Amino acid sequence: MVKAVVGANWGDEGKGKITDMLAAKADIVVRFQGGANAGHTIVNNYGKFALHTLPSGVFYDHTTSIIGNGVALNIPILMGELKSITDKGVPMPKILISDRAQIVMPYHILLDQYEEERLAGKSFGSTKSGIAPFYSDKYAKIGFQVSELFDEDILKEKVERVAEIKNVLFEHMYHKDKIDTAKLLDTLHEYRDMVKPFVCDTSLYISNALKEGKTVLLEGQLGTLKDPDHGIYPMVTSSSTLAAFGAIGAGIAPYEIKQVVTVCKAYSSAVGAGAFVSEIFGDEADELRRRGGDGGEYGATTGRPRRMGWFDCVASKYGCRMQGTTDVAFTVLDVLGYLDEIPVCTGYEIDGEVTTDFPVTRLLEKAKPVIEKLPGWKCDIRGIKTYEELPKECRAYVEFIEERIGYPITMISNGPSRDDIIYRKK
Ligand code: GDP
């Protein structure tokens, strides 16, 4: 059976923690989209880790971790991450890399950097990991599949052909050095040697595992609002963040996905540019940022302070719907324990009309939040293990949000560790 763990919002919802937790009972964890441009923070018995490319199942010896075909594979970063976890005492995980995954090339990263320089202040807040140039090339059909690393003739011909195209930009648009094709070929040989032990037909591997009754987790990166089709285009990422894409990016049948666990934060945070209707500023934001997550709301990859806001019922209802949610995992609820009253965004006012349906970007820019306030619980809820033991104001907050988003909150995360979880029967 296949379960997906995906984000309802702008990312950073705590998917890493939920995946790590659910991976205790999974045989395979698959990354199906995205690249090293976002990170998961995981706290477990080995310590605290920021993973960017490795699936969150790497801390268990019973799980196989798969880099699916939909991923933007940055080979040196993957290898560096493997080393960093094994250096900290984690046993070498079982990793498989799809022979159809495509490779983030050194020139993708350069293109991202040069484009950010060119746009200066007008950029979308790229993490400069080469993700947008990578996916552009994939769909322009000039990307490199992992399998191609193993055919010298294809590689040589393609490096020359692609360099010719890229060099126009390097020379005339950005006024930088041209690609040195001999050096690039050497780099690709190094990449080939690095990935060789891990490459296989991962789609077939997963299909066989499913026939044997194994459990597979699909681990999403970022959240619904960063999806290129259904998110806040153009302030989105370049690959689909939706559970439905899990079927494509892992190479499985769509009907295999039986459970979609959508991770939703008890307040909002976002990185990068774009409309963020429930955003807060000043001291109010600073306090939530400082208290948020595990040690503050700062990007796992970039270290940038995250933009903060109150819970947004409109964005989250939409976020859950687009994911096809069966279960909501509601995270970081413990963080809100300091507030006397908790503001919640329950609607958007656009051109004088209030709506609870998430609009297209053009209208989103005009939306003003409709705020309702709920009583706070004013205590620390970490360590609580059952729903009934939560303060009644806290339960009222959960139930209010559940009713507004329209999807069942079956898990409540009240701390960063694996065991900080409250299951709710629905
Ligand atoms: P992801 O990209 O969706 O995995 O999210 P991040 O890793 O960027 O952000 C989640 C942060 O919140 C991490 O630092 C987690 O350790 C932390 N975290 C996750 N769940 C909880 C929770 O329930 N309470 C608290 N206080 N922190 C949490």
Side-chain angles (χ1 to χ4, degrees):
M1 105 103 141
V2 181
K3 297 182 193 182
V5 182
V6 287
N9 311 116
W10 296 262
D12 307 317
E13 296 93 349
K15 294 175 295 296
K17 177 220 157 126
I18 301 295
T19 311
D20 176 66
M21 194 186 88
L22 295 176
K25 289 199 187 132
D27 303 293
I28 298 172
V29 181
V30 191
R31 280 282 313 267
F32 61 88
Q33 43 88 222
N37 52 332
H40 291 315
T41 315
I42 297 172
V43 184
N44 56 31
N45 43 329
Y46 294 107
K48 184 172 175 176
F49 299 88
L51 301 183
H52 306 284
T53 289
L54 284 176
S56 298
V58 289
F59 299 103
Y60 296 99
D61 41 16
H62 67 272
T63 57
T64 299
S65 297
I66 295 186
I67 307 288
N69 54 277
V71 168
L73 174 63
N74 184 318
I75 294 171
I77 289 194
L78 178 76
M79 295 300 144
E81 237 167 65
L82 263 180
K83 182 170 180 316
S84 76
I85 65 163
T86 49
D87 282 354
K88 281 197 190 168
V90 178
M92 179 64 186
K94 186 170 181 216
I95 305 273
L96 298 175
I97 298 174
S98 166
D99 52 6
R100 291 177 183 272
Q102 294 201 11
I103 304 160
V104 176
M105 305 292 271
Y107 54 78
H108 288 141
I109 296 166
L110 290 175
L111 283 169
D112 237 356
Q113 286 170 4
Y114 297 161
E115 184 60 7
E116 283 280 302
E117 278 170 37
R118 191 181 73 86
L119 290 174
K122 294 191 211 95
S123 80
F124 295 151
S126 155
T127 56
K128 303 186 202 69
S129 335
I131 302 300
F134 165 90
Y135 281 107
S136 310
D137 280 1
K138 175 170 175 175
Y139 294 107
K141 294 168 284 188
I142 52 170
F144 286 74
Q145 280 195 341
V146 164
S147 67
E148 292 172 333
L149 290 173
F150 299 92
D151 188 317
E152 198 55 25
D153 293 339
I154 292 182
L155 214 53
K156 269 197 184 131
E157 182 275 325
K158 204 160 166 180
V159 161
E160 292 299 335
R161 182 159 51 88
V162 175
E164 212 174 312
I165 303 170
K166 297 292 164 199
N167 281 338
V168 178
L169 287 176
F170 277 72
E171 238 191 313
H172 302 290
M173 175 101 157
Y174 300 117
H175 311 290
K176 303 279 182 185
D177 292 341
K178 289 205 272 185
I179 294 172
D180 177 339
T181 52
K183 204 168 136 210
L184 179 57
L185 214 48
D186 285 346
T187 305
L188 294 178
H189 293 152
E190 283 169 26
Y191 287 2
R192 176 195 60 205
D193 297 341
M194 288 185 216
V195 294
K196 199 169 178 201
F198 310 110
V199 176
C200 71
D201 179 347
T202 52
S203 160
L204 183 62
Y205 180 91
I206 300 170
S207 164
N208 289 336
L210 288 173
K211 279 187 197 141
E212 289 167 22
K214 298 269 165 70
T215 300
V216 178
L217 282 188
L218 302 177
E219 178 177 23
Q221 185 206 41
L222 297 168
T224 303
L225 304 175
K226 294 282 183 182
D227 184 77
D229 282 79
H230 298 286
I232 51 171
Y233 189 86
M235 275 69 73
V236 292
T237 194
S238 304
S239 65
S240 174
T241 56
L242 301 183
F245 188 76
I248 315 274
I252 58 170
Y255 55 75
E256 299 283 7
I257 306 173
K258 305 288 187 227
Q259 194 183 4
V260 178
V261 177
T262 304
V263 187
C264 203
K265 257 167 123 135
Y267 53 87
S268 303
S269 75
V271 285
F276 179 9
V277 178
S278 68
E279 185 165 17
I280 53 174
F281 303 91
D283 293 346
E284 197 182 29
D286 287 344
E287 174 144 39
L288 183 56
R289 183 180 302 112
R290 199 177 55 245
R291 291 173 178 271
D294 180 29
E297 291 283 358
Y298 301 92
T301 304
T302 57
R304 288 190 287 200
R306 292 179 180 148
R307 298 165 66 192
M308 305 303 297
W310 300 123
F311 187 83
D312 183 335
C313 297
V314 181
S316 302
K317 180 175 79 163
Y318 175 76
C320 287
R321 174 164 67 85
M322 294 317 303
Q323 294 291 6
T325 304
T326 60
D327 295 77
V328 174
F330 197 53
T331 59
V332 294
L333 188 59
D334 53 303
V335 169
L336 299 180
Y338 72 100
L339 291 157
D340 293 325
E341 279 188 319
I342 310 178
V344 177
C345 171
T346 54
Y348 290 174
E349 192 194 311
I350 303 171
D351 293 333
E353 287 200 23
V354 173
T355 179
T356 61
D357 291 321
F358 194 78
V360 292
T361 311
R362 182 177 67 80
L363 297 173
L364 187 66
E365 309 282 351
K366 300 193 205 175
K368 295 187 188 66
V370 176
I371 299 285
E372 289 182 42
K373 288 186 176 161
L374 273 72
W377 46 92
K378 297 291 286 177
C379 66
D380 186 2
I381 59 162
R382 281 204 196 182
I384 291 179
K385 296 286 173 211
T386 65
Y387 187 67
E388 290 65 36
E389 284 170 274
L390 287 172
K392 74 173 188 318
E393 294 82 2
C394 185
R395 280 181 278 134
Y397 184 76
V398 172
E399 287 161 31
F400 179 87
I401 281 169
E402 179 173 60
E403 197 261 318
R404 294 302 169 105
I405 61 176
Y407 292 90
I409 297 177
T410 60
M411 287 166 241
I412 294 164
S413 173
N414 58 337
S417 307
R418 265 178 200 170
D419 329 317
D420 296 325
I421 194 81
I422 297 170
Y423 290 99
R424 237 177 121 212
K425 297 215 169 49
K426 291 298 288 181

